[in-house]
Amino acid sequence: MPSVTTAYEAAIAAGRISDDAAQRGVLPALDALVARLRDDAPAQSARGGFWRGLLGGAPPAPAEQTRGLYLWGGVGRGKSMLMDLVMETAPISRKRRVHFHEFMQEIQAGLNEARRQGQQDAVRPVAMNVAAQARLLCFDEMQITDIADAMIVGRLFQILFEQGVCVVTTSNRPPDDLYKNGLNRQLFLPFIALIHERMEVIELASAQDHRQGRARGAEVWFSPLGAEARAQMDAAWLEETGGEAAGPLVLEIKGRKVELPQHSARTARVPFWDLCAANLGPADYLAVAEAVDTLFIDSIPQLSSSNFNEARRFVTLIDALYEARVRLIASAAAEPENLYVEGEGAFEFERTASRLREMQDANWGR
């Protein structure tokens, strides 16, 4: 049977990753998790769509067999890489790896559909559909900032666990800090207790941020803002598009329209405020990430608690671009590490700054 340790050592030998003592310390738990899983019944097809008709499924596996794992730690420590090795080696057919933002968007869409069909308990059929299609769910970057998500995750995951779904997730925060200071947080606390009950919680305490120190190619981040940064952005745009005429790209998402004012082939350019001051959310940013291979963002300002909503949307946007491996070229008030240094949200932004730095790698992109 394949093991995570074997896959980890193969990745080191191939030069894809560097050896890390803290990562090695997590491998026994990951090996044990993979060993507990076993292949089960083939995935069942969804009659009438992903969120409809799948109320059955294979009998739930024993709770101990499907005990999951919550891996948390600082940015760039290799959490996502280790989770991907679990996905690679788990000997089951029904498994899925998805960014937590994207997953919750799907859940909310499923709830809306269930309610439209007159379901009084909308969470159960949605959770049963998920359980019928995946026995292993790997979530990248679990974080709860939306009250709508906070109010449903407890029951959603309770049903998933009852149905024998094994959950592996990464996060920058320990479970007890999820949805910290959130509205009606007391209603969220049972979910934290459920994580401790049904998942092994491990901190990945590596001293090294593996996203830093990578090779740099052509300049893609221009700061500080001013005439020089504008000229550099214009020159980069001309080089990227070959001087071809650019027109607007209008995306329609659930009845809303998102406009990227300059678009040529699969390259687009948009001011920060157009994307982050408007009332947009994860679904909109996922659509942008799917529509382009390279995105230019002009005039990213200094971020702080004074523009918290814009900063939060920017974090969500970068998550979407990062997951889709969209190439980012931007002008900004400061280097990524100095964009958001104080006030509410500064801690969460450390992950975004690390991702922005990684996205400057010469090999970044689809």
Side-chain angles (χ1 to χ4, degrees), residues 18 23 73-81 97 99 140-141 170-172 206 208-216 318-319 322-323 325 337 348-361 364:
S18 57
Q23 293 172 1
V75 296
R77 267 56 187 179
K79 302 184 296 295
S80 298
M81 177 273 295
R97 188 243 200 241
H99 192 276
D140 198 22
E141 303 293 357
T170 69
S171 181
N172 290 344
S206 175
Q208 182 178 358
D209 184 342
H210 293 275
R211 295 178 187 162
Q212 303 295 341
R214 299 194 175 194
R216 296 284 296 278
I318 296 305
D319 281 346
Y322 180 90
E323 287 297 316
R325 294 192 67 82
E337 295 81 6
E348 290 82 356
F349 196 81
E350 290 179 9
R351 172 175 60 87
T352 302
S354 180
R355 288 189 160 187
L356 288 170
R357 184 62 71 185
E358 184 178 4
M359 292 166 78
Q360 295 179 39
D361 181 15
W364 182 265

Side-chain angles (χ1 to χ4, degrees), residues 67-72 174-175 195-197 199-203:
R67 182 173 175 80
L69 185 126
Y70 184 107
L71 184 62
W72 71 278
I195 289 175
H196 285 290
E197 176 187 346
M199 304 175 73
E200 184 176 2
V201 178
I202 298 178
E203 180 184 6

Side-chain angles (χ1 to χ4, degrees), residues 247-358:
L249 173 65
V250 179
L251 305 174
E252 294 193 12
I253 306 102
K254 299 179 180 179
R256 299 185 303 278
K257 291 185 178 181
V258 178
E259 181 174 332
L260 306 178
Q262 292 180 270
H263 175 255
S264 177
R266 288 183 59 83
T267 298
R269 185 173 181 178
V270 60
F272 169 89
W273 298 102
D274 284 16
L275 283 180
C276 299
N279 188 24
L280 303 179
D284 305 296
Y285 298 137
L286 289 169
V288 170
E290 291 172 1
V292 301
D293 292 330
T294 302
L295 182 65
F296 284 67
I297 302 179
D298 286 287
S299 303
I300 302 169
Q302 193 73 52
L303 303 173
S304 68
S305 55
S306 65
N307 52 17
F308 176 75
N309 289 331
E310 290 82 359
R312 185 175 61 178
R313 293 189 190 104
F314 181 65
V315 167
T316 304
L317 170 63
I318 296 305
D319 281 346
L321 300 178
Y322 180 90
E323 287 297 316
R325 294 192 67 82
V326 172
R327 186 163 175 253
L328 175 67
I329 301 176
S331 61
E335 291 296 319
E337 295 81 6
N338 296 320
L339 260 184
Y340 198 159
V341 295
E342 61 182 359
E344 183 182 1
F347 175 88
E348 290 82 356
F349 196 81
E350 290 179 9
R351 172 175 60 87
T352 302
S354 180
R355 288 189 160 187
L356 288 170
R357 184 62 71 185
E358 184 178 4

Side-chain angles (χ1 to χ4, degrees), residues 105-279:
Q105 283 291 305
E106 293 178 2
I107 293 298
Q108 293 292 351
L111 292 175
N112 291 337
E113 176 64 16
R115 290 168 184 141
R116 189 187 68 79
Q117 294 184 358
Q119 295 277 356
Q120 290 188 349
D121 178 4
V123 175
R124 176 162 289 277
V126 171
M128 295 294 285
N129 282 321
V130 174
Q133 296 201 11
R135 287 306 190 219
L136 171 64
L137 277 175
C138 291
F139 294 119
D140 198 22
E141 303 293 357
M142 178 181 280
Q143 57 174 332
I144 310 289
T145 58
D146 189 294
I147 187 171
D149 292 345
M151 294 302 101
I152 66 168
V153 289
R155 185 141 187 279
L156 173 70
F157 277 78
Q158 179 69 57
I159 297 171
L160 293 179
F161 291 142
E162 288 173 356
Q163 292 302 307
V165 176
C166 177
V167 173
V168 177
T169 189
T170 69
S171 181
N172 290 344
R173 292 179 174 271
D176 292 350
D177 283 355
L178 288 174
Y179 198 52
K180 193 171 185 178
N181 301 319
L183 186 64
N184 293 325
R185 189 173 187 266
Q186 71 278 6
L187 301 177
F188 179 80
L189 297 180
F191 177 57
I192 295 176
L194 186 64
I195 289 175
H196 285 290
E197 176 187 346
R198 297 301 299 266
M199 304 175 73
E200 184 176 2
V201 178
I202 298 178
E203 180 184 6
L204 181 56
S206 175
Q208 182 178 358
D209 184 342
H210 293 275
R211 295 178 187 162
Q212 303 295 341
R214 299 194 175 194
R216 296 284 296 278
E219 197 71 23
V220 295
W221 187 272
F222 306 108
S223 67
L225 295 176
E228 183 178 355
R230 285 194 297 273
Q232 289 171 317
M233 286 286 284
D234 290 341
W237 174 260
L238 182 63
E239 180 180 356
E240 192 74 20
T241 62
E244 294 185 5
L249 173 65
V250 179
L251 305 174
E252 294 193 12
I253 306 102
K254 299 179 180 179
R256 299 185 303 278
K257 291 185 178 181
V258 178
E259 181 174 332
L260 306 178
Q262 292 180 270
H263 175 255
S264 177
R266 288 183 59 83
T267 298
R269 185 173 181 178
V270 60
F272 169 89
W273 298 102
D274 284 16
L275 283 180
C276 299
N279 188 24

Side-chain angles (χ1 to χ4, degrees), residues 36-102:
R36 289 195 299 268
L37 295 170
R38 68 170 185 271
D39 213 348
D40 51 11
Q44 302 181 32
S45 61
R47 298 189 301 274
F50 184 85
W51 294 112
R52 298 190 295 278
L54 293 175
L55 300 184
E64 185 54 37
Q65 179 184 324
T66 58
R67 182 173 175 80
L69 185 126
Y70 184 107
L71 184 62
W72 71 278
V75 296
R77 267 56 187 179
K79 302 184 296 295
S80 298
M81 177 273 295
L82 292 173
M83 183 182 69
D84 287 342
L85 293 182
V86 171
M87 272 289 296
E88 175 187 324
T89 57
I92 61 174
S93 56
R94 289 188 285 171
K95 53 187 175 182
R96 185 185 183 200
R97 188 243 200 241
V98 62
H99 192 276
F100 193 71
H101 269 319
E102 182 180 351

